[in-house]
């Protein structure tokens, strides 16, 4: 494979080299982000070596078989670049480093049960890269990490294993992946600028030149790697805290008898308000994880991140609030949880994706099972086997069948098929009275109100209480003037 080191070259030279296919990029980690990322690098002209420890994944890539069917664009690009040999995959970590000019690391990161960052995959690929790489390689860490990871442990491992000096013999930068599952290619190539911060200026400028040749929205360079790492985790913590605020405002809206969704939308019509949306809980491998990267480093430096602590308490209480709404609505129909058929609609942590990490559906199901409910689930993105293994309940395949069998339908995830559900038809098919707990406020309130008034439906949403639908007198005179 032809090699063309770009470290220290001008932007114009780098652009030319990328476009003419003279640069070889190795992508370590061919997962939900890594595979689309590898294809995005190839689409700019680069030769790409995909590197993974999972042999099955490597075999699938080499034979052009897509294992991310819900990721738009991946299918076509994978076939194209396997056919024209622009992309190959391997499990040989050291060899791939030897053969490449630019290295992107996008392996998983997380936190353990004690809140300590788990960065072992990064450390182990860094060792292999350090052993394999030559002078002049540009190394870009793209996995989300706590501030300090690139200039600290990653730099130390690479220098120790290679005998080379970071910033002088090879470039080292952090550049966060700001993509979202379901839109990875578009997010990376078109939607957002790439943030780049290196361990020195030469590293930063090289990586900036490289990405300017690839991404449409250009590059934002920041002072150093530490700052680039902070950009990603600050974004994450902002969302975590903002969701907690929305959840707390939802609880208050229930007491006030107002619709939290209506209020948030109206408030956000002014440019200084960006309130997020409340829900059944915060899942995924990103938003509930990154604040704890920050908290870990922050505590080591002597600062307790109080916003994060409080947000965790509020966000992690939402699944049990959903269970409370189930109890409340069944109670209104004079039914106990014990023996009621409760169907959970949506198990993945976000709508329209196939990923279940830290899904709030899990604690909801566990609690309802403990209370002796008969629990079933519906989710078009998961097989029966996946539902059984991950959540310990049986999947009902057909949406209408699932609705018909439910004493109480609990919507935990806002898949489009639920958003587009004909509520009147659903209610007419359900047992009477139909009981719906809407964990994502997906149903139109006017339709809900009509069905509730006609006594066909008992409804609760997060931030949408019984008193919102039926009215309740609050003695504000007493509260405010007492
Ligand atoms: N998924 C997202 O929406 C998203 C968005 C932005 C950022 N990120 C970040 O991207 C990183 C990767 O996430 P993902 O969702 O693609 O993970 P993933 O679990 O889907 O894939 C990770 C891949 O890395 C491979 N791998 C694990 N250890 C390895 C090693 N030592 N050497 C080589 N390969 C190894 C695994 O086999 C797997 O194929 C994480 O840091 C995550 O925080 C993810």
């Amino acid at each position: 494979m032809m090699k063309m080191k770009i470290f220290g070259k001008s932007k114009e030279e780098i652009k030319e080299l990328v476009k003419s296919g003279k640069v070889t990029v190795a992508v370590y980690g061919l997962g939900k982000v890594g595979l689309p990322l590898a294809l995005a690098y190839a689409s700019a002209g680069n030769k790409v070596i995909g590197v993974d420890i999972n042999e099955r994944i490597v075999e699938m890539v080499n034979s052009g078989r897509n294992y991310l069917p819900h990721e738009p664009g991946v299918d076509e690009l994978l076939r194209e670049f396997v056919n024209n040999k622009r992309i190959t995959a391997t499990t040989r970590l050291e060899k791939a480093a030897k053969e490449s000019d630019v290295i992107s690391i996008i392996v998983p990161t997380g936190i353990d049960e004690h809140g300590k960052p788990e960065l072992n995959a990064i450390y182990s690929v860094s060792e292999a890269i350090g052993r394999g790489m030559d002078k002049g390689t540009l190394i870009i860490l793209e996995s989300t990490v706590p501030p300090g990871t690139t200039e600290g442990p990653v730099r130390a491992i690479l220098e120790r294993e290679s005998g080379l000096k970071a910033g002088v013999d090879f470039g080292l930068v952090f550049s966060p992946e700001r993509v979202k599952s379901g839109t990875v290619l578009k997010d990376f190539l078109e939607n957002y600028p790439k943030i780049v911060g290196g361990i020195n200026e030469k590293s930063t400028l090289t990586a900036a030149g490289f990405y300017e040749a690839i991404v449409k929205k250009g590059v934002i360079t920041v002072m150093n790697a530490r700052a680039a790492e902070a950009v990603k985790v600050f974004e994450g913590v902002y969302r975590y805290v903002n969701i907690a605020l929305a959840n707390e405002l939802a609880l208050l809206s229930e007491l006030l008898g107002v619709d939290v969704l209506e209020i948030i939308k109206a408030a956000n019509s002014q440019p200084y308000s960006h309130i997020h949306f409340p829900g059944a809980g915060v899942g995924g491998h990103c938003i509930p994880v990154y604040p704890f990267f920050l908290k870990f480093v922050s505590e080591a430096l002597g600062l307790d991140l109080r916003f994060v602590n409080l947000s965790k308490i509020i966000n992690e209480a939402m699944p049990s609030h959903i269970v409370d709404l189930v109890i409340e609505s069944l109670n209104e129909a004079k039914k106990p949880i014990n023996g009621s058929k409760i169907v959970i609609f949506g198990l993945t942590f976000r709508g329209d994706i196939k990923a279940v990490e830290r899904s709030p559906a899990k604690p909801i199901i566990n609690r309802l099972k403990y209370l002796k409910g008969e629990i079933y689930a519906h989710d078009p993105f998961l097989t029966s086997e996946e539902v059984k293994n991950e959540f310990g309940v049986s999947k009902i395949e057909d949406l209408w069948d699932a609705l018909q069998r439910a004493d109480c339908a609990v919507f935990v995830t806002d898949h489009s098929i639920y958003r587009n559900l004909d509520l009147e038809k659903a209610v007419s098919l359900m047992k009477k009275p139909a009981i719906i707990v809407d964990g994502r406020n997906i149903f139109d309130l006017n339709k809900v109100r009509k069905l509730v008034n006609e006594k066909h439906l008992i409804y609760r949403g997060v931030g949408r209480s019984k008193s919102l639908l039926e009215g309740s007198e609050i003695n504000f005179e007493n509260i405010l003037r007492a």
Side-chain angles (χ1 to χ4, degrees):
M1 214 172 248
M2 180 170 355
K3 294 223 298 179
M4 182 54 70
K5 299 294 180 203
I6 61 169
F7 184 44
K9 289 203 162 39
S10 73
K11 273 182 191 174
E12 290 69 31
E13 283 175 292
I14 294 173
K15 204 170 201 168
E16 201 37 55
L17 290 169
V18 166
K19 290 229 149 71
S20 57
K22 297 210 171 79
V23 178
T24 301
V25 182
V27 176
Y28 285 72
L30 293 173
K32 292 184 285 297
V33 179
L35 175 63
L37 190 63
L39 296 170
Y41 286 135
S43 72
N46 298 294
K47 297 228 162 47
V48 173
I49 309 173
V51 193
D52 206 292
I53 46 173
N54 184 330
E55 282 178 13
R56 198 180 65 87
I57 278 185
V58 165
E59 262 172 43
M60 286 186 82
V61 171
N62 281 331
S63 57
R65 274 178 296 151
N66 178 17
Y67 46 87
L68 301 176
H70 302 294
E71 199 60 64
V74 165
D75 225 34
E76 302 85 304
L77 291 182
L78 183 62
R79 243 176 293 130
E80 179 187 339
F81 296 139
V82 167
N83 281 343
N84 67 14
K85 300 199 167 45
R86 207 183 276 179
I87 187 167
T88 55
T90 179
T91 53
R92 300 180 68 181
L93 275 67
E94 269 185 60
K95 185 164 178 283
K98 192 152 234 31
E99 290 174 355
S100 47
D101 309 304
V102 177
I103 287 175
S104 151
I105 302 173
I106 186 76
V107 293
T109 52
I111 41 167
D112 68 15
E113 69 272 25
H114 308 294
K116 189 167 188 276
E118 281 181 324
L119 304 171
N120 287 336
I122 288 185
Y123 300 155
S124 84
V125 289
S126 299
E127 278 174 18
I129 291 166
R131 283 196 298 271
M133 76 189 206
D134 295 335
K135 252 186 167 177
T137 305
L138 171 68
I139 297 175
I140 308 169
L141 180 57
E142 300 197 67
S143 297
T144 308
V145 293
T149 307
T150 308
E151 71 181 68
V154 170
R155 175 186 188 147
I157 294 169
L158 289 169
E159 289 188 338
R160 188 188 67 217
E161 296 298 325
S162 66
L164 301 172
K165 184 123 190 60
V168 178
D169 299 320
F170 66 93
L172 179 59
V173 305
F174 182 78
S175 179
E177 258 331 314
R178 313 171 78 198
V179 299
K180 196 168 96 181
S181 277
T183 46
V184 177
L185 274 167
K186 209 167 164 43
D187 286 345
F188 177 79
L189 287 170
E190 293 173 32
N191 287 352
Y192 309 121
K194 196 77 172 117
I195 309 290
V196 170
I199 57 140
N200 65 351
E201 200 183 0
K202 188 172 167 184
S203 298
T204 306
L205 290 177
T206 307
F210 176 65
Y211 283 123
E212 274 173 18
I214 300 171
V215 304
K216 202 167 159 187
K217 283 275 162 76
V219 172
I220 297 174
T221 57
V222 292
M223 198 175 278
N224 49 35
R226 202 188 288 188
E229 290 160 337
V231 169
K232 175 75 188 179
V233 282
F234 279 21
E235 280 172 20
V237 84
Y238 166 76
R239 290 174 60 195
Y240 191 68
V241 170
N242 196 326
I243 293 167
L245 174 65
N247 283 333
E248 190 152 82
L249 295 176
L251 300 183
L252 172 63
S253 298
E254 288 179 21
L255 297 175
L256 282 174
V258 294
D259 176 13
V260 72
L261 199 62
E262 178 188 61
I263 296 170
I264 291 174
K265 283 183 176 166
N268 287 355
S269 66
Q270 175 259 52
Y272 307 107
S273 182
H274 305 279
I275 306 172
H276 287 15
F277 295 104
V282 185
H285 34 69
C286 302
I287 303 306
V289 172
Y290 303 154
F292 300 92
F293 281 176
L294 215 49
K295 182 173 155 65
F296 184 83
V297 173
S298 180
E299 275 173 13
L301 296 173
L303 175 71
D304 188 18
L305 285 187
R306 291 158 295 173
F307 265 121
V308 171
N309 298 336
L310 182 58
S311 304
K312 178 177 162 70
I313 292 168
I314 296 171
N315 289 336
E316 291 187 355
M318 292 315 286
S320 67
H321 183 61
I322 296 292
V323 174
D324 283 347
L325 297 179
V326 173
I327 294 171
E328 207 183 292
S329 53
L330 279 168
N331 189 50
E332 194 178 326
K334 300 193 171 56
K335 289 183 181 175
I337 290 214
N338 192 339
S340 285
K341 287 195 176 59
I342 301 171
V343 183
I344 307 295
F345 291 84
L347 299 170
T348 62
F349 76 80
R350 181 154 53 76
D352 295 337
I353 59 159
K354 183 184 170 71
V356 296
E357 290 92 346
R358 294 168 200 262
S359 168
K362 208 172 251 179
I364 292 171
I365 288 172
N366 289 345
R367 182 75 187 149
L368 291 171
K369 271 185 170 174
Y370 173 81
L371 295 170
K372 303 222 174 333
E374 232 184 86
I375 316 301
Y376 299 89
H378 175 270
D379 193 308
F381 288 83
L382 302 174
T383 64
S384 298
E385 204 186 346
E386 287 163 342
V387 170
K388 192 83 198 161
N389 291 343
E390 281 290 329
F391 297 89
V393 293
S394 301
K395 179 183 170 185
I396 304 176
E397 215 44 62
D398 180 68
L399 175 60
W400 299 106
D401 183 27
L403 285 161
Q404 264 169 341
R405 283 159 65 176
D407 288 307
C408 176
V410 185
F411 288 82
V412 173
T413 311
D414 56 348
H415 291 314
S416 306
I417 64 156
Y418 304 150
R419 280 198 176 281
N420 298 329
L421 191 69
D422 178 342
L423 185 64
E424 268 194 17
K425 182 175 168 198
V427 166
S428 73
L429 286 176
M430 288 176 75
K431 293 178 194 167
K432 296 293 155 338
I435 302 175
I436 291 180
V437 172
D438 184 355
R440 301 283 166 192
N441 295 329
I442 55 181
F443 296 113
D444 178 73
L445 199 63
N446 291 323
K447 290 186 185 153
V448 167
R449 197 188 292 280
K450 181 171 172 283
L451 290 161
V452 169
N453 288 343
E454 291 166 356
K455 308 262 181 265
H456 295 312
L457 172 66
I458 294 173
Y459 174 91
R460 297 287 186 282
V462 175
R464 292 172 155 188
S465 61
K466 183 176 164 67
S467 65
L468 163 69
L469 297 161
E470 296 178 9
S472 87
E473 291 297 318
I474 300 174
N475 191 336
F476 287 111
E477 173 88 18
N478 235 0
I479 293 173
L480 297 171
R481 300 194 70 193

